[in-house]
Short mmCIF file of all heavy atoms in Angstrom, two decimals:
data_model
loop_
_atom_site.label_atom_id
_atom_site.label_comp_id
_atom_site.label_asym_id
_atom_site.label_seq_id
_atom_site.Cartn_x
_atom_site.Cartn_y
_atom_site.Cartn_z
N LEU A 19 5.78 75.20 -138.36
CA LEU A 19 7.11 75.75 -138.12
C LEU A 19 7.12 77.24 -138.31
O LEU A 19 6.27 77.81 -139.06
CB LEU A 19 8.11 75.10 -139.07
CG LEU A 19 8.20 73.58 -139.04
CD1 LEU A 19 9.06 73.11 -140.21
CD2 LEU A 19 8.73 73.12 -137.69
N GLU A 20 8.09 77.86 -137.68
CA GLU A 20 8.29 79.31 -137.91
C GLU A 20 9.73 79.61 -137.58
O GLU A 20 10.32 78.98 -136.69
CB GLU A 20 7.35 80.11 -137.02
CG GLU A 20 7.37 81.59 -137.38
CD GLU A 20 6.01 82.26 -137.17
OE1 GLU A 20 5.25 81.87 -136.31
OE2 GLU A 20 5.80 83.25 -137.90
N THR A 21 10.31 80.52 -138.31
CA THR A 21 11.69 80.91 -138.06
C THR A 21 11.74 82.28 -137.40
O THR A 21 11.12 83.23 -137.90
CB THR A 21 12.48 80.96 -139.39
OG1 THR A 21 12.41 79.66 -139.99
CG2 THR A 21 13.93 81.31 -139.15
N TYR A 22 12.41 82.35 -136.25
CA TYR A 22 12.64 83.61 -135.55
C TYR A 22 14.12 83.79 -135.38
O TYR A 22 14.81 82.91 -134.83
CB TYR A 22 11.97 83.59 -134.16
CG TYR A 22 10.48 83.74 -134.20
CD1 TYR A 22 9.65 82.65 -134.00
CD2 TYR A 22 9.90 85.00 -134.42
CE1 TYR A 22 8.28 82.76 -134.03
CE2 TYR A 22 8.52 85.11 -134.45
CZ TYR A 22 7.72 84.00 -134.26
OH TYR A 22 6.35 84.13 -134.31
N ASP A 23 14.64 84.91 -135.85
CA ASP A 23 16.06 85.24 -135.71
C ASP A 23 16.96 84.08 -136.17
O ASP A 23 17.96 83.77 -135.53
CB ASP A 23 16.40 85.60 -134.24
CG ASP A 23 15.68 86.89 -133.79
OD1 ASP A 23 15.42 87.75 -134.64
OD2 ASP A 23 15.37 86.99 -132.59
N GLY A 24 16.56 83.44 -137.24
CA GLY A 24 17.36 82.39 -137.82
C GLY A 24 17.16 81.03 -137.18
O GLY A 24 17.73 80.04 -137.65
N GLN A 25 16.37 80.92 -136.13
CA GLN A 25 16.12 79.64 -135.44
C GLN A 25 14.78 79.06 -135.86
O GLN A 25 13.77 79.73 -135.75
CB GLN A 25 16.13 79.86 -133.91
CG GLN A 25 15.69 78.68 -133.11
CD GLN A 25 16.66 77.48 -133.20
OE1 GLN A 25 17.81 77.60 -132.84
NE2 GLN A 25 16.18 76.35 -133.72
N LEU A 26 14.79 77.83 -136.37
CA LEU A 26 13.55 77.15 -136.77
C LEU A 26 12.93 76.56 -135.48
O LEU A 26 13.55 75.84 -134.72
CB LEU A 26 13.84 76.05 -137.75
CG LEU A 26 12.61 75.38 -138.38
CD1 LEU A 26 11.79 76.36 -139.20
CD2 LEU A 26 13.03 74.19 -139.22
N LEU A 27 11.64 76.89 -135.29
CA LEU A 27 10.90 76.48 -134.12
C LEU A 27 9.65 75.69 -134.54
O LEU A 27 8.99 76.07 -135.50
CB LEU A 27 10.42 77.67 -133.29
CG LEU A 27 11.55 78.60 -132.78
CD1 LEU A 27 10.94 79.86 -132.21
CD2 LEU A 27 12.42 77.90 -131.77
N ALA A 28 9.37 74.62 -133.84
CA ALA A 28 8.15 73.83 -134.07
C ALA A 28 7.15 74.10 -132.97
O ALA A 28 7.54 74.25 -131.80
CB ALA A 28 8.51 72.35 -134.12
N SER A 29 5.88 74.10 -133.32
CA SER A 29 4.78 74.18 -132.36
C SER A 29 3.52 73.63 -133.03
O SER A 29 3.57 73.30 -134.22
CB SER A 29 4.56 75.61 -131.87
OG SER A 29 4.15 76.43 -132.91
N ALA A 30 2.46 73.58 -132.30
CA ALA A 30 1.20 73.12 -132.86
C ALA A 30 0.05 73.85 -132.23
O ALA A 30 0.11 74.23 -131.08
CB ALA A 30 1.03 71.59 -132.66
N TRP A 31 -1.00 74.03 -133.00
CA TRP A 31 -2.23 74.63 -132.52
C TRP A 31 -3.25 73.53 -132.28
O TRP A 31 -3.38 72.61 -133.09
CB TRP A 31 -2.80 75.67 -133.48
CG TRP A 31 -2.16 77.01 -133.30
CD1 TRP A 31 -1.07 77.51 -133.99
CD2 TRP A 31 -2.57 78.01 -132.39
NE1 TRP A 31 -0.80 78.76 -133.55
CE2 TRP A 31 -1.68 79.10 -132.56
CE3 TRP A 31 -3.57 78.10 -131.45
CZ2 TRP A 31 -1.80 80.27 -131.81
CZ3 TRP A 31 -3.68 79.27 -130.72
CH2 TRP A 31 -2.80 80.34 -130.86
N MET A 32 -4.04 73.69 -131.21
CA MET A 32 -5.13 72.81 -130.86
C MET A 32 -6.41 73.65 -130.84
O MET A 32 -6.47 74.68 -130.15
CB MET A 32 -4.98 72.18 -129.46
CG MET A 32 -3.59 71.67 -129.11
SD MET A 32 -3.22 70.14 -129.90
CE MET A 32 -1.57 70.46 -130.45
N VAL A 33 -7.39 73.25 -131.61
CA VAL A 33 -8.67 73.96 -131.63
C VAL A 33 -9.76 72.96 -131.27
O VAL A 33 -9.79 71.85 -131.84
CB VAL A 33 -8.94 74.58 -133.03
CG1 VAL A 33 -10.30 75.26 -133.06
CG2 VAL A 33 -7.84 75.59 -133.36
N VAL A 34 -10.62 73.32 -130.33
CA VAL A 34 -11.71 72.50 -129.91
C VAL A 34 -13.00 73.29 -130.03
O VAL A 34 -13.11 74.42 -129.53
CB VAL A 34 -11.53 72.03 -128.45
CG1 VAL A 34 -12.74 71.16 -128.00
CG2 VAL A 34 -10.22 71.30 -128.24
N GLU A 35 -13.98 72.71 -130.72
CA GLU A 35 -15.31 73.34 -130.80
C GLU A 35 -16.31 72.41 -130.13
O GLU A 35 -16.31 71.19 -130.36
CB GLU A 35 -15.74 73.60 -132.23
CG GLU A 35 -17.09 74.29 -132.30
CD GLU A 35 -17.48 74.77 -133.70
OE1 GLU A 35 -16.60 74.81 -134.58
OE2 GLU A 35 -18.68 75.09 -133.89
N GLY A 36 -17.16 72.99 -129.29
CA GLY A 36 -18.21 72.25 -128.65
C GLY A 36 -19.54 72.35 -129.39
O GLY A 36 -19.67 73.19 -130.30
N ARG A 37 -20.47 71.53 -129.03
CA ARG A 37 -21.79 71.51 -129.69
C ARG A 37 -22.46 72.87 -129.76
O ARG A 37 -23.14 73.18 -130.70
CB ARG A 37 -22.68 70.50 -128.98
CG ARG A 37 -24.02 70.30 -129.61
CD ARG A 37 -24.83 69.29 -128.83
NE ARG A 37 -24.27 67.94 -129.08
CZ ARG A 37 -24.77 67.06 -129.93
NH1 ARG A 37 -25.83 67.38 -130.62
NH2 ARG A 37 -24.22 65.90 -130.07
N SER A 38 -22.27 73.72 -128.75
CA SER A 38 -22.90 75.04 -128.71
C SER A 38 -22.27 76.03 -129.73
O SER A 38 -22.79 77.10 -129.90
CB SER A 38 -22.77 75.65 -127.31
OG SER A 38 -21.44 76.01 -127.05
N GLY A 39 -21.10 75.63 -130.30
CA GLY A 39 -20.41 76.53 -131.20
C GLY A 39 -19.27 77.27 -130.52
O GLY A 39 -18.51 77.99 -131.16
N PHE A 40 -19.13 77.11 -129.19
CA PHE A 40 -18.04 77.73 -128.45
C PHE A 40 -16.73 77.10 -128.92
O PHE A 40 -16.64 75.87 -129.03
CB PHE A 40 -18.21 77.57 -126.96
CG PHE A 40 -17.12 78.23 -126.16
CD1 PHE A 40 -17.20 79.58 -125.84
CD2 PHE A 40 -16.03 77.50 -125.74
CE1 PHE A 40 -16.20 80.20 -125.10
CE2 PHE A 40 -15.00 78.12 -125.02
CZ PHE A 40 -15.10 79.46 -124.70
N ILE A 41 -15.68 77.90 -129.20
CA ILE A 41 -14.39 77.44 -129.65
C ILE A 41 -13.30 77.88 -128.68
O ILE A 41 -13.29 79.04 -128.26
CB ILE A 41 -14.11 77.96 -131.07
CG1 ILE A 41 -15.15 77.41 -132.07
CG2 ILE A 41 -12.68 77.60 -131.50
CD1 ILE A 41 -15.04 78.05 -133.45
N SER A 42 -12.42 76.96 -128.38
CA SER A 42 -11.24 77.26 -127.56
C SER A 42 -10.01 76.85 -128.34
O SER A 42 -9.99 75.84 -129.00
CB SER A 42 -11.31 76.46 -126.25
OG SER A 42 -10.20 76.76 -125.44
N GLU A 43 -8.96 77.69 -128.22
CA GLU A 43 -7.72 77.45 -128.95
C GLU A 43 -6.54 77.60 -128.04
O GLU A 43 -6.52 78.53 -127.23
CB GLU A 43 -7.57 78.45 -130.11
CG GLU A 43 -8.70 78.46 -131.09
CD GLU A 43 -8.56 79.53 -132.14
OE1 GLU A 43 -8.05 80.63 -131.84
OE2 GLU A 43 -8.99 79.28 -133.30
N THR A 44 -5.58 76.71 -128.18
CA THR A 44 -4.31 76.83 -127.42
C THR A 44 -3.17 76.37 -128.32
O THR A 44 -3.36 75.68 -129.31
CB THR A 44 -4.31 75.98 -126.13
OG1 THR A 44 -4.64 74.64 -126.47
CG2 THR A 44 -5.27 76.52 -125.10
N ARG A 45 -1.98 76.79 -127.94
CA ARG A 45 -0.77 76.41 -128.72
C ARG A 45 0.23 75.72 -127.80
O ARG A 45 0.37 76.10 -126.67
CB ARG A 45 -0.17 77.65 -129.34
CG ARG A 45 0.91 77.33 -130.38
CD ARG A 45 1.52 78.57 -130.89
NE ARG A 45 2.47 79.07 -129.91
CZ ARG A 45 3.50 79.85 -130.19
NH1 ARG A 45 3.66 80.30 -131.39
NH2 ARG A 45 4.30 80.24 -129.26
N THR A 46 0.92 74.77 -128.37
CA THR A 46 1.95 74.03 -127.59
C THR A 46 3.14 74.93 -127.30
O THR A 46 3.30 76.00 -127.87
CB THR A 46 2.48 72.82 -128.37
OG1 THR A 46 3.16 73.31 -129.55
CG2 THR A 46 1.38 71.86 -128.73
N ALA A 47 3.99 74.42 -126.44
CA ALA A 47 5.30 75.03 -126.24
C ALA A 47 6.06 74.96 -127.55
O ALA A 47 5.85 74.02 -128.34
CB ALA A 47 6.05 74.28 -125.15
N THR A 48 6.94 75.91 -127.80
CA THR A 48 7.72 75.85 -129.02
C THR A 48 8.99 75.08 -128.77
O THR A 48 9.55 75.06 -127.67
CB THR A 48 8.10 77.28 -129.51
OG1 THR A 48 8.73 77.98 -128.46
CG2 THR A 48 6.88 78.05 -129.97
N LEU A 49 9.44 74.41 -129.79
CA LEU A 49 10.59 73.50 -129.72
C LEU A 49 11.64 73.96 -130.69
O LEU A 49 11.39 74.01 -131.92
CB LEU A 49 10.15 72.08 -130.06
CG LEU A 49 11.22 71.01 -130.11
CD1 LEU A 49 11.80 70.76 -128.72
CD2 LEU A 49 10.64 69.71 -130.69
N PRO A 50 12.84 74.33 -130.21
CA PRO A 50 13.91 74.70 -131.18
C PRO A 50 14.39 73.45 -131.89
O PRO A 50 14.56 72.41 -131.27
CB PRO A 50 14.98 75.31 -130.27
CG PRO A 50 14.74 74.71 -128.92
CD PRO A 50 13.27 74.42 -128.84
N LEU A 51 14.63 73.59 -133.16
CA LEU A 51 15.08 72.47 -134.00
C LEU A 51 16.55 72.63 -134.36
O LEU A 51 17.00 73.74 -134.62
CB LEU A 51 14.20 72.33 -135.25
CG LEU A 51 12.73 72.03 -134.92
CD1 LEU A 51 11.87 72.21 -136.15
CD2 LEU A 51 12.56 70.67 -134.31
N PRO A 52 17.27 71.52 -134.42
CA PRO A 52 18.72 71.60 -134.71
C PRO A 52 18.99 72.05 -136.14
O PRO A 52 18.14 71.89 -137.02
CB PRO A 52 19.22 70.18 -134.49
CG PRO A 52 18.06 69.32 -134.53
CD PRO A 52 16.86 70.13 -134.18
N PRO A 53 20.17 72.62 -136.39
CA PRO A 53 20.51 73.10 -137.72
C PRO A 53 20.39 72.05 -138.82
O PRO A 53 19.97 72.39 -139.95
CB PRO A 53 21.98 73.55 -137.58
CG PRO A 53 22.18 73.81 -136.12
CD PRO A 53 21.24 72.85 -135.42
N GLN A 54 20.69 70.79 -138.52
CA GLN A 54 20.58 69.75 -139.55
C GLN A 54 19.12 69.59 -140.03
O GLN A 54 18.88 69.40 -141.23
CB GLN A 54 21.11 68.40 -139.04
CG GLN A 54 22.53 68.39 -138.61
CD GLN A 54 22.74 68.80 -137.13
OE1 GLN A 54 21.97 69.58 -136.56
NE2 GLN A 54 23.82 68.28 -136.54
N VAL A 55 18.19 69.64 -139.10
CA VAL A 55 16.78 69.55 -139.42
C VAL A 55 16.35 70.80 -140.19
O VAL A 55 15.64 70.73 -141.18
CB VAL A 55 15.91 69.35 -138.17
CG1 VAL A 55 14.44 69.49 -138.49
CG2 VAL A 55 16.21 68.00 -137.54
N GLN A 56 16.78 71.95 -139.70
CA GLN A 56 16.46 73.23 -140.35
C GLN A 56 16.88 73.21 -141.82
O GLN A 56 16.10 73.63 -142.69
CB GLN A 56 17.10 74.39 -139.59
CG GLN A 56 16.73 75.74 -140.16
CD GLN A 56 17.12 76.89 -139.26
OE1 GLN A 56 17.22 76.71 -138.03
NE2 GLN A 56 17.36 78.04 -139.81
N ARG A 57 18.07 72.75 -142.11
CA ARG A 57 18.56 72.74 -143.48
C ARG A 57 17.67 71.87 -144.37
O ARG A 57 17.34 72.22 -145.49
CB ARG A 57 20.03 72.23 -143.55
CG ARG A 57 21.02 73.31 -143.17
CD ARG A 57 22.45 72.88 -143.52
NE ARG A 57 22.95 71.81 -142.70
CZ ARG A 57 23.50 71.98 -141.46
NH1 ARG A 57 23.60 73.18 -140.94
NH2 ARG A 57 23.95 70.93 -140.79
N LEU A 58 17.27 70.70 -143.86
CA LEU A 58 16.43 69.79 -144.65
C LEU A 58 15.04 70.38 -144.87
O LEU A 58 14.46 70.24 -145.96
CB LEU A 58 16.37 68.42 -143.97
CG LEU A 58 17.67 67.62 -143.96
CD1 LEU A 58 17.52 66.37 -143.08
CD2 LEU A 58 18.03 67.23 -145.40
N VAL A 59 14.48 71.03 -143.85
CA VAL A 59 13.18 71.66 -143.99
C VAL A 59 13.27 72.76 -145.03
O VAL A 59 12.39 72.89 -145.91
CB VAL A 59 12.64 72.18 -142.64
CG1 VAL A 59 11.47 73.11 -142.83
CG2 VAL A 59 12.28 71.01 -141.74
N HIS A 60 14.28 73.59 -144.94
CA HIS A 60 14.44 74.69 -145.91
C HIS A 60 14.72 74.16 -147.33
O HIS A 60 14.46 74.87 -148.31
CB HIS A 60 15.49 75.68 -145.48
CG HIS A 60 15.03 76.53 -144.33
ND1 HIS A 60 13.84 77.24 -144.31
CD2 HIS A 60 15.60 76.77 -143.12
CE1 HIS A 60 13.71 77.87 -143.16
NE2 HIS A 60 14.76 77.60 -142.41
N ALA A 61 15.16 72.92 -147.43
CA ALA A 61 15.36 72.28 -148.72
C ALA A 61 14.08 71.62 -149.24
O ALA A 61 14.08 71.11 -150.36
CB ALA A 61 16.48 71.22 -148.66
N GLY A 62 13.00 71.71 -148.44
CA GLY A 62 11.71 71.22 -148.92
C GLY A 62 11.12 70.01 -148.24
O GLY A 62 10.01 69.61 -148.56
N LEU A 63 11.80 69.42 -147.27
CA LEU A 63 11.25 68.28 -146.55
C LEU A 63 10.28 68.72 -145.49
O LEU A 63 10.46 69.79 -144.91
CB LEU A 63 12.36 67.44 -145.90
CG LEU A 63 13.26 66.60 -146.77
CD1 LEU A 63 14.28 65.84 -145.91
CD2 LEU A 63 12.46 65.64 -147.61
N GLU A 64 9.28 67.89 -145.19
CA GLU A 64 8.40 68.12 -144.05
C GLU A 64 9.18 67.80 -142.80
O GLU A 64 10.16 67.02 -142.84
CB GLU A 64 7.16 67.25 -144.11
CG GLU A 64 6.14 67.70 -145.14
CD GLU A 64 4.87 66.88 -145.08
OE1 GLU A 64 4.39 66.56 -143.95
OE2 GLU A 64 4.35 66.54 -146.14
N LEU A 65 8.79 68.37 -141.66
CA LEU A 65 9.52 68.18 -140.42
C LEU A 65 9.68 66.69 -140.08
O LEU A 65 10.77 66.25 -139.72
CB LEU A 65 8.84 68.91 -139.25
CG LEU A 65 9.45 68.70 -137.89
CD1 LEU A 65 10.91 69.15 -137.86
CD2 LEU A 65 8.65 69.42 -136.85
#
């Protein structure tokens, strides 16, 4: 999660490493979370 301008956003990183040691990384689309979820996360709950 990350908060931008007061909005809590969810996303995820994907990292893949191949046998040669080559690594590729991508990130999902970000998802805005509703205020009710944001309050609970800021109170200490996991998403």
Side-chain angles (χ1 to χ4, degrees):
L19 303 171
E20 190 148 28
T21 302
Y22 285 103
D23 296 330
Q25 172 66 60
L26 188 65
L27 302 169
S29 64
W31 276 94
M32 316 284 136
V33 177
V34 180
E35 182 172 346
R37 184 179 288 260
S38 71
F40 182 85
I41 297 172
S42 180
E43 302 176 326
T44 53
R45 191 182 78 156
T46 65
T48 54
L49 177 67
L51 298 169
Q54 299 89 330
V55 171
Q56 183 168 333
R57 282 192 291 276
L58 291 171
V59 167
H60 288 308
L63 287 181
E64 287 185 40
L65 176 59

